């Protein structure tokens, strides 16, 4: 009886249900665990960690003072440290080794040091210890000594405790930093936008003049008009240049004196400081506010320090814009191909071969599409477009080099099989009597297809788009060949005609992760940003997919009555 019951239980299929449920549960747990790991490692980077001061002395070495942030700690066998040439007490089996961020790379040559906690003594967290984020050379840690204006001391203190003199000097420095940030924004506006607009206009005039020369139509009247426009741009540039000179004189007015951990006094220009803060004196509310401002900077600012500081907004913008362009390109081509294969083509051997080829295309490695895009789109089509429409810009390529358009088309080619298969599946599920009813009412085949069949198949089309977006948004290998760069000087969308610059190179979150993780000269500083950017890429893809799923669900509800 027992054998019969076990065999019956197996034949009922219930064990496979439990196995599938277990596999799904394990997969969900692994995905959630991975996301939590990425979130903790990435988002923790923006929290203002306390700065510790202590005395570090390995056996047989001279002790020295260390001022740093604790980054991470690991347990290491003492024998391993001895093998590495570090003199430690071997009687202690396991020692804790901590990565400390000491900053001041312009003084010490490196941002990070490993220390063994067993030999850290007299560790304290002074309230007046501060950290300053700089536009170059990374963070600066130390005690504020004085604030200078045009070389003259306007505030100073020798106190390393929160006395009235120390706090007053600190407040003065914060006021000077705020002033410098406002001026920096003005400089950015002039250099990036105002002068950028003039440079764009001058380049347009240069190409226009060269075009006239190539055509042989450069008359004295046209030359005079061009010179008049160029003179107007030159006059505007001189005004902006003088404005820049004044702004740089203002922003370089103030400096601060800072005592580093080894006693070195650093004179730091306030213009190079992004923010200064004293984490040891912050309460939880202040730290939360600081954390929010750092997160916003990460989402909205440009990168700096070889992509290891600042934000990733250009990469977010480039990723979203490329995916939207890819979606606009792949959807109509995929739908048209699927409609032809399902509704118009005779279902013979050739059609079956085409379907097999489409399915095989979905399995081709993405780097192959990148090579094809480089060879066909850029070298062949792009060069032909340059010779036909932009001869005045040659030998500098316009479309004969990687750019946003070729990247979007390459990814559209990569994902079009997904849209074709999904659309065909949707078309095959529409009952035949729906088509026949429409034709019986006097509609043509084209009208039936446009007004009845495609609307009912639109949820399946959106499913294909969702899958295409999910695959394309995370691709990196083909983009490295067809347009993505480490740092783009400007966004592919701006206020200069024609506003959307499809020929321009762009930044991408996936490539940003690769660059920061594997090409950064400062590995320890880059590691948390790899996690943060990876989490952001997952969120961007999820938001794009959620938008498409919402549209699909709306369409499914709208045409549910027709299916019934």
């Amino acid at each position: 009886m027992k054998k019969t019951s076990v065999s019956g239980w197996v034949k009922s299929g219930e064990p496979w249900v439990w196995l599938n449920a277990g596999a799904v549960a394990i997969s969900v747990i692994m995905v959630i665990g991975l996301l939590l790991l990425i979130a903790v490692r990435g988002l923790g980077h923006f929290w203002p960690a306390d700065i510790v001061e202590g005395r570090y002395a390995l056996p047989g070495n001279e002790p020295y003072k260390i001022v740093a942030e604790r980054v991470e700690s690991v347990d290491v066998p003492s024998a391993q440290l001895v093998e590495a040439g570090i003199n430690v007490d071997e009687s202690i089996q396991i020692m804790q080794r901590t990565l400390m961020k000491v900053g001041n790379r312009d003084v010490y040559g490196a941002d990070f040091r490993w220390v063994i906690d067993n030999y850290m003594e007299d560790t304290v967290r002074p309230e007046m210890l501060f950290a300053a984020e700089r536009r170059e050379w990374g963070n600066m840690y130390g005690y504020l000594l004085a604030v200078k204006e045009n070389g003259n001391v306007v505030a100073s203190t020798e106190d390393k405790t929160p006395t009235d003199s120390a706090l007053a000097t600190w407040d003065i420095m914060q006021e000077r930093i705020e002033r410098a940030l406002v001026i920096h924004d003005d400089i950015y506006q002039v250099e990036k936008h105002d002068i950028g607009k003039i440079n764009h206009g001058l380049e347009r005039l240069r190409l226009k003049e060269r075009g006239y020369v190539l055509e042989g139509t450069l008359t004295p009247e046209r030359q005079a008009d061009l010179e008049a426009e160029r003179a107007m741009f030159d006059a505007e540039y001189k005004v902006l240049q003088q404005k820049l000179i004044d702004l740089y004189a203002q922003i370089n007015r103030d400096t601060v004196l800072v005592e580093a951990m080894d006693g070195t006094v650093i004179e730091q220009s306030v213009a190079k400081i992004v923010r200064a803060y004293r984490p040891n004196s912050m309460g939880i509310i202040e730290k939360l506010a600081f954390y929010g401002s750092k997160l916003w900077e990460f989402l909205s600012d440009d990168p700096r320090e070889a992509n290891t500081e600042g934000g990733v907004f250009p990469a977010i913008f480039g990723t979203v814009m490329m995916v939207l362009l890819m979606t606009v390109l792949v959807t109509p081509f995929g739908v048209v191909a699927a409609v032809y294969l399902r509704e118009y083509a005779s279902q013979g051997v050739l059609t079956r071969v085409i379907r097999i080829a489409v399915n095989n295309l979905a399995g081709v490695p993405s780097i192959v599409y990148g090579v094809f895009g480089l060879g066909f789109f850029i070298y062949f089509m792009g060069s032909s477009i340059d010779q036909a429409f932009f001869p005045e810009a040659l030998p500098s390529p316009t479309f004969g080099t990687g750019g946003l358009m070729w990247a979007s088309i390459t990814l559209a080619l990569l994902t079009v099989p997904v849209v074709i298969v999904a659309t065909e599946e949707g078309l095959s599920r529409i009952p035949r009597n729906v088509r026949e009813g429409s034709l019986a009412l006097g509609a043509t085949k084209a009208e039936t297809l446009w007004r009845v069949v495609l609307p009912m198949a639109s949820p399946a089309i959106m499913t294909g788009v969702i899958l295409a977006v999910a695959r394309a948004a995370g691709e990196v290998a083909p983009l490295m060949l067809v347009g993505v760069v480490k740092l783009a000087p400007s966004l592919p969308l701006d206020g200069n005609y024609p506003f959307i610059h499809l020929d321009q190179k762009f930044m991408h979150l996936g490539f940003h992760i690769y660059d920061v993780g594997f090409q950064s000269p400062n590995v320890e500083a880059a590691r948390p940003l790899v996690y943060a950017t990876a989490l952001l890429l997952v969120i961007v893809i999820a938001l794009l997919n959620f938008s498409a799923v919402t549209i699909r669900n709306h369409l499914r509800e709208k045409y549910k009555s027709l299916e019934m």
Side-chain angles (χ1 to χ4, degrees):
M1 291 293 293
K2 191 173 182 180
K3 281 188 177 181
T4 305
S5 61
V6 171
S7 62
W9 181 64
V10 172
K11 290 179 180 179
S12 68
E14 191 172 345
W16 309 115
V17 174
W18 282 102
L19 283 174
N20 286 332
V24 171
I26 292 172
S27 300
V28 171
I29 292 171
M30 291 176 64
V31 170
I32 293 175
L34 177 61
L35 291 177
L36 286 176
L37 173 66
I38 294 173
V40 170
R41 292 290 186 92
L43 298 180
H45 169 68
F46 305 109
W47 186 260
D50 288 347
I51 307 173
V52 299
E53 177 182 303
R55 195 170 68 93
Y56 185 61
L58 284 171
N61 293 340
E62 286 292 325
Y64 64 89
K65 187 171 73 171
I66 186 168
V67 173
E69 290 182 17
R70 292 184 181 272
V71 178
E72 62 177 340
S73 297
V74 293
D75 291 334
V76 182
S78 57
Q80 182 178 336
L81 295 173
V82 172
E83 289 177 3
I86 302 174
N87 186 19
V88 297
D89 186 359
E90 294 187 66
S91 64
I92 304 174
Q93 296 289 326
I94 301 296
M95 292 187 173
Q96 190 175 62
R97 197 180 186 204
T98 300
L99 181 64
M100 307 288 281
K101 185 175 183 179
V102 297
N104 299 351
R105 190 167 70 247
D106 48 336
V107 178
Y108 310 131
D111 283 298
F112 296 86
R113 291 184 188 179
W114 284 97
V115 300
I116 300 170
D117 288 2
N118 303 63
Y119 301 105
M120 281 287 293
E121 302 173 353
D122 306 326
T123 301
V124 292
R125 289 175 171 80
E127 289 189 28
M128 293 311 296
L129 262 180
F130 81 98
E133 294 180 22
R134 300 182 289 182
R135 301 189 188 279
E136 53 187 29
W137 298 111
N139 283 8
M140 176 175 64
Y141 299 105
Y143 291 99
L144 177 64
L145 299 179
V147 179
K148 288 185 174 183
E149 179 180 318
N150 293 323
N152 301 316
V153 176
V154 295
S156 64
T157 180
E158 295 182 358
D159 298 324
K160 295 183 179 180
T161 56
T163 61
D164 291 341
S165 172
L167 293 175
T169 305
W170 173 261
D171 291 338
I172 290 173
M173 182 185 72
Q174 292 287 44
E175 291 173 2
R176 304 300 170 104
I177 292 174
E178 290 297 326
R179 170 184 174 274
L181 290 175
V182 172
I183 299 174
H184 181 269
D185 290 341
D186 293 338
I187 292 174
Y188 181 85
Q189 174 66 32
V190 173
E191 290 182 339
K192 194 81 171 181
H193 298 285
D194 298 339
I195 292 182
K197 188 175 181 179
I198 290 175
N199 290 335
H200 178 79
L202 289 172
E203 178 64 12
R204 181 180 56 82
L205 286 179
R206 185 188 72 82
L207 294 177
K208 192 174 181 180
E209 181 178 12
R210 179 167 169 79
Y212 288 149
V213 171
L214 292 176
E215 296 170 359
T217 57
L218 183 60
T219 62
E221 292 79 9
R222 285 180 172 176
Q223 183 68 50
D225 292 340
L226 292 172
E227 292 298 333
E229 287 189 62
R230 192 174 285 112
M232 291 174 58
F233 283 126
D234 290 340
E236 291 179 26
Y237 177 76
K238 288 180 180 179
V239 173
L240 293 175
Q241 188 180 37
Q242 184 58 48
K243 185 178 180 180
L244 271 182
I245 293 173
D246 297 339
L247 288 173
Y248 273 111
Q250 295 175 35
I251 200 172
N252 291 323
R253 185 192 70 179
D254 301 320
T255 58
V256 293
L257 298 180
V258 180
E259 181 184 327
M261 70 181 187
D262 61 353
T264 303
V265 176
I266 306 170
E267 183 167 2
Q268 176 66 51
S269 172
V270 173
K272 300 297 183 182
I273 299 177
V274 178
R275 62 166 61 83
Y277 58 98
R278 294 184 290 123
N280 298 344
S281 65
M282 285 182 174
I284 187 65
I285 302 300
E286 292 175 298
K287 287 193 173 185
L288 285 173
F290 181 91
Y291 185 74
S293 68
K294 284 285 290 180
L295 275 180
W296 176 247
E297 179 192 55
F298 179 66
L299 295 174
S300 62
D301 209 353
D302 292 344
R304 59 176 188 272
E305 284 282 311
N307 289 345
T308 59
E309 297 287 347
V312 292
F313 176 74
I316 298 173
F317 188 89
T319 303
V320 173
M321 192 168 183
M322 182 205 68
V323 170
L324 292 178
L325 283 174
M326 181 274 301
T327 304
V328 170
L329 291 169
V330 74
T331 304
F333 283 104
V335 171
V336 168
V339 167
Y340 176 77
L341 290 174
R342 177 60 58 177
E343 301 292 330
Y344 288 95
S346 58
Q347 303 303 308
V349 176
L350 180 60
T351 307
R352 287 198 295 271
V353 170
I354 292 174
R355 285 199 179 94
I356 293 172
V358 168
N359 290 327
N360 287 338
L361 281 174
V364 173
S366 58
I367 189 65
V368 175
Y369 286 97
V371 173
F372 177 80
L374 177 66
F376 181 74
F377 292 136
I378 295 177
Y379 290 159
F380 177 70
M381 290 187 61
S383 298
S384 300
I385 291 173
D386 286 350
Q387 292 175 7
F389 299 102
F390 303 100
E392 64 277 4
L394 293 174
S396 298
T398 302
F399 284 97
T401 184
L404 179 62
M405 184 176 74
W406 300 134
S408 301
I409 293 176
T410 300
L411 289 188
L413 187 64
L414 185 149
T415 55
V416 72
V418 178
V419 178
I420 292 174
V421 172
T423 304
E424 270 208 88
E425 289 294 326
L427 293 172
S428 66
R429 288 198 300 266
I430 298 173
R432 185 176 182 83
N433 57 9
V434 172
R435 296 176 175 84
E436 292 174 348
S438 176
L439 294 171
L441 291 173
T444 64
K445 187 171 183 177
E447 290 172 334
T448 299
L449 182 67
W450 182 254
R451 297 181 179 274
V452 178
V453 176
L454 282 181
M456 292 179 66
S458 55
I461 296 172
M462 289 307 302
T463 300
V465 171
I466 293 168
L467 295 173
V469 168
R471 182 176 182 189
E475 285 291 348
V476 178
L479 298 180
M480 294 170 66
L481 301 175
V482 292
V484 74
V485 291
K486 175 187 176 74
L487 183 64
S490 59
L491 297 176
L493 179 67
D494 57 27
N496 298 322
Y497 182 83
F499 312 118
I500 298 179
H501 306 282
L502 298 179
D503 60 312
Q504 191 167 300
K505 297 182 186 298
F506 66 102
M507 295 181 66
H508 185 272
L509 285 172
F511 182 76
H512 189 79
I513 294 170
Y514 165 77
D515 176 69
V516 174
F518 298 99
Q519 303 294 317
S520 175
N522 196 345
V523 178
E524 301 295 347
R527 184 183 297 134
L529 287 181
V530 172
Y531 287 107
T533 309
L535 179 64
L536 182 59
L537 178 59
V538 172
I539 292 173
V540 168
I541 295 174
L543 289 175
L544 290 169
N545 285 341
F546 178 76
S547 302
V549 168
T550 303
I551 297 172
R552 182 189 64 184
N553 292 341
H554 172 73
L555 294 171
R556 185 173 290 165
E557 290 295 325
K558 182 177 180 180
Y559 298 110
K560 182 183 291 184
S561 59
L562 291 176
E563 294 178 2
M564 297 176 61

